[in-house]
Each structure stands twice: as C-alpha cells, then as structure tokens.
Amino acid sequence: EGMGVRITDDGIGISPRVAVAGVRGHLGIRGLWDRALRCGGRLDIAPGPEGGTVVDFWIPDARPAANGRRSR
C-alpha cells in the first residue's frame, strides 16, 4: 500500500535524458528522484502518449499497522 500522484500536461514534452537522470538547471526533477528514493518509493517520468509529459510519483505507506509494524 502507499500513495501515488500522477501529473500530466500537454506541453512540449521532456527529453528522455532529463527524465532519467536530471540535468543541470532541472533541480526540481532531481529533488523528486531523491525524495522518492529516500522514502523507498519510485518516480517515473515519460513523454505522454499524445505529447506532453506524465509524472508518476509513488511512496509506500509508512503508518504503523495494527500490529505495530510498518504497513507495506
């Protein structure tokens, strides 16, 4: 279990190089990658099917379960 967010736009799209690794001047993307990794989550950035960009950000549920363990 966890929480996910999908953001889409219909702009000019994103370079695969920027989407995968981030580059100088794109600190927002680098920050999203870092946050996802620190939380045990994931970030997927890709061109949209009809142009634009699709950003999927998911993080696992970190609330304690009823048995006192972290929910996964």
Side-chain angles (χ1 to χ4, degrees), residues 5-72:
V5 174
R6 172 171 277 182
I7 301 167
T8 62
D9 72 22
D10 59 356
I12 61 170
I14 189 167
S15 155
R17 182 173 150 234
V18 173
V20 171
V23 294
R24 186 176 181 167
H26 294 274
L27 297 177
I29 292 172
R30 181 80 253 160
L32 286 172
W33 279 106
D34 291 343
R35 285 174 179 84
L37 290 174
R38 269 188 270 156
C39 295
R42 67 179 180 270
L43 175 71
D44 297 309
I45 303 174
E50 296 178 21
T53 304
V54 177
V55 177
D56 285 313
F57 185 83
W58 179 86
I59 57 173
D61 190 350
R63 295 175 295 173
N67 61 7
R69 295 185 183 157
R70 271 187 156 187
S71 175
R72 288 277 177 180

